[in-house]
Amino acid sequence: VTPTKAMWNRTPLTALLQTAYPIVQGPFGGGLSSVELAATVSKCGGLGSFGAHHLSASAISDVITALRAATSKPFAINLWVSNEDTGASAMSAADFEKYAQQLKPYFDELDAQVPARPESFSYRFDDQVEAMLQHAPPVFSFVYGIPSSDVLRACKARKIITVGTATTPDEAAAIEAAGIDAIVVTGFEAGGHRVSFLDTAERSLYGTFSLVQLARKRVRIPIIAAGGISTANAIKAAQLLGADGAQIGTAFLACRESAASEVQRSALFSDLRHHTELTKLFSGRLARSLRTSMIEQWHTSKTPAAPYPVQSYLMGKLKEAATAQGRPERMSLWSGQTAPLLEHKNAKTLFEALVAGASAA
Ligand SMILES: Cc1cc2nc3c(=O)[nH]c(=O)nc-3n(C[C@H](O)[C@H](O)[C@H](O)COP(=O)(O)O)c2cc1C
């Protein structure tokens, strides 16, 4: 009997995206994506992504233009459909002050000023989408919900491939029902935010392997597994369970091409990498970071975080000061659970190792 050796790199996902390999570099929001990282991965034959939820419409236009100049291969622009929680933009000066003062001991420790209330905390999703549509990137990926049918129709008209993100089987089914082209299913192992939208993040905590198998039963569109995948074996394992490809975040964040600071990247190779934790401390929304003393203190104190993105704004200011002073334990150190497996600090080398490993496995 001749064993049939299915080619791991020819899947419905590669057919849809027109990439050589079913490997997606996960987008990073909050200023941690870079054109260099996304373009490097796209040029290697994967899908590079740029997280743009924190950017203005004109900055998004500039990023797409820069990516087009850097690579002729497909790439993705990523936005957050819901980018503000109740009570954030309408927050009174007094409430803002209350949340800011909660963090004063940390600002004091770094000799930094507690920030004043900015005019606005985030950009409107509708304006961001308008800029995205105008420049028509090859792929538009998104989290925290499903864009309106008008937006999805406009993507189709411009031949923009859409990729939604699900944290539960129900969300996967809702994404397919909306007519979206492919879906990232992300388990709780993943670094960064839990991007649930049909229920709270706390009630939507599926492990990647459970979610891939359950989503496969519910949807026919290509599935991209995310969360805890940082090796070739994990890519193959996800494929065996029904995924058509994998999205890798933390392992690419650790590479020098990402826009993470040296302080943040080296934390992923430090002793801190052995423990991660889900916390609302850094943004007001549940997200996975390396565990630090600040997270432990915060959870013990039971202090409520400000609604997103107010908490995110405050902690972003603290992170600037902590980065300047080389204090990783005073900043968000987004990381998935498999940080201890990371070996590479160069995106091309990482990508080539994944391809070589998956081809050999
Ligand atoms: C620092 C950081 C920021 C992230 N920001 C986004 C984002 O803005 N949009 C998004 O779709 N996914 C975001 N993610 C999720 C990743 O794209 C990816 O799905 C996830 O990291 C995969 O899990 P892993 O970290 O275990 O590899 C982020 C992840 C990290 C680590």
Side-chain angles (χ1 to χ4, degrees), residues 33-112:
S33 281
S34 79
V35 168
E36 189 190 358
L37 175 61
T40 298
V41 171
S42 288
K43 282 192 270 196
C44 285
L47 184 76
S49 313
F50 193 107
H53 78 89
H54 62 295
L55 294 178
S56 67
S58 77
I60 290 171
S61 303
D62 292 347
V63 164
I64 300 174
T65 305
L67 279 164
R68 277 237 162 74
T71 178
S72 56
K73 303 285 188 184
F75 59 83
I77 290 293
N78 178 272
L79 293 173
W80 292 16
V81 178
S82 149
N83 57 14
E84 200 177 299
D85 288 337
T86 317
S89 58
M91 184 174 289
S92 69
D95 279 347
F96 178 84
E97 198 50 30
K98 184 193 81 185
Y99 286 117
Q101 287 302 317
Q102 286 183 166
L103 297 166
K104 189 166 186 298
Y106 295 116
F107 281 97
D108 286 349
E109 186 193 10
L110 298 175
D111 263 331

Side-chain angles (χ1 to χ4, degrees), residues 189-277:
E189 295 93 323
H193 285 83
R194 301 306 311 141
V195 291
S196 310
F197 59 95
L198 289 182
D199 202 341
T200 62
E202 290 83 350
R203 282 164 42 105
S204 307
L205 296 174
Y206 278 80
T208 302
F209 275 7
S210 300
L211 185 55
V212 167
Q213 295 172 88
L214 298 178
R216 185 73 290 166
K217 285 208 176 297
R218 299 280 294 274
V219 305
R220 305 171 74 102
I221 54 175
I223 289 178
I224 304 162
I229 300 176
S230 48
T231 62
N233 277 344
I235 297 174
K236 300 274 286 193
Q239 287 191 323
L240 199 59
L241 296 178
D244 302 288
Q247 174 161 298
I248 297 177
T250 304
F252 281 114
L253 184 71
C255 294
R256 58 148 200 87
E257 292 88 347
S258 86
S261 68
E262 172 61 29
V263 183
Q264 184 170 358
R265 277 183 290 117
S266 23
L268 291 169
F269 295 97
S270 76
D271 280 346
L272 289 172
R273 75 187 189 282
H274 296 293
H275 302 282
T276 65
E277 188 139 348

Side-chain angles (χ1 to χ4, degrees), residues 149-171:
S149 49
D150 281 351
V151 168
L152 295 176
R153 252 195 307 275
C155 288
K156 277 232 156 61
R158 290 164 178 75
K159 299 198 168 20
I160 301 168
I161 295 165
T162 49
V163 179
T165 311
T167 63
T168 65
D170 287 346
E171 288 178 354

